[in-house]
Amino acid sequence: MAEALVSVQIIPKTPNGEDSIPFVDEAIKIIEQAGVYYQVHPLETTMEGELAKLLTVIEKMNQRMHELDCPSVISQVKIYSQKDHQASMSELTKKYR
């Protein structure tokens, strides 16, 4: 099991007021490249792994938005961890499946 779950919603201010979805797709590519387990949900994406690595992924997502000329980015982040370092999406949601 993973050390932590981190959910992130990235909200880029696009350079020319265009649709943000292609920019969000670019952010999700950063997660894919990191090789962490993740699930995309309608309003956020949840990742599973070592907390420090997941926070680095979020930093890279924000950097990518600036590379794409977004003048600003809001990243809403939620972190779940347990004392025994056992965190998983499947365990937290199994009673709903």
Side-chain angles (χ1 to χ4, degrees), residues 10-15 20 22-28 30 59-75:
I10 194 161
I11 308 166
K13 181 175 182 181
T14 58
S20 64
F23 292 83
V24 172
D25 290 341
E26 285 292 317
I28 292 171
I30 299 297
E59 180 181 19
K60 289 179 181 179
M61 291 166 67
N62 279 268
Q63 290 170 346
R64 181 66 180 134
M65 295 302 99
H66 294 302
E67 290 170 2
L68 295 171
D69 292 325
C70 293
S72 65
V73 182
I74 296 171
S75 294

Side-chain angles (χ1 to χ4, degrees), residues 58-96:
I58 293 169
E59 180 181 19
K60 289 179 181 179
M61 291 166 67
N62 279 268
Q63 290 170 346
R64 181 66 180 134
M65 295 302 99
H66 294 302
E67 290 170 2
L68 295 171
D69 292 325
C70 293
S72 65
V73 182
I74 296 171
S75 294
Q76 295 185 357
V77 178
K78 294 182 237 174
I79 299 171
Y80 172 80
S81 63
Q82 288 190 171
K83 185 177 181 178
D84 66 2
H85 300 291
Q86 302 295 303
S88 79
M89 287 181 254
S90 62
E91 281 297 311
L92 283 178
T93 60
K94 71 180 177 182
K95 71 180 183 181
Y96 302 107

Side-chain angles (χ1 to χ4, degrees), residues 5-6 31 34-39 46-49 54 88-90:
L5 303 178
V6 175
I31 297 170
V36 299
Y37 179 71
Y38 71 98
Q39 290 184 1
T46 302
M47 301 178 284
E48 215 174 76
L54 301 179
S88 79
M89 287 181 254
S90 62

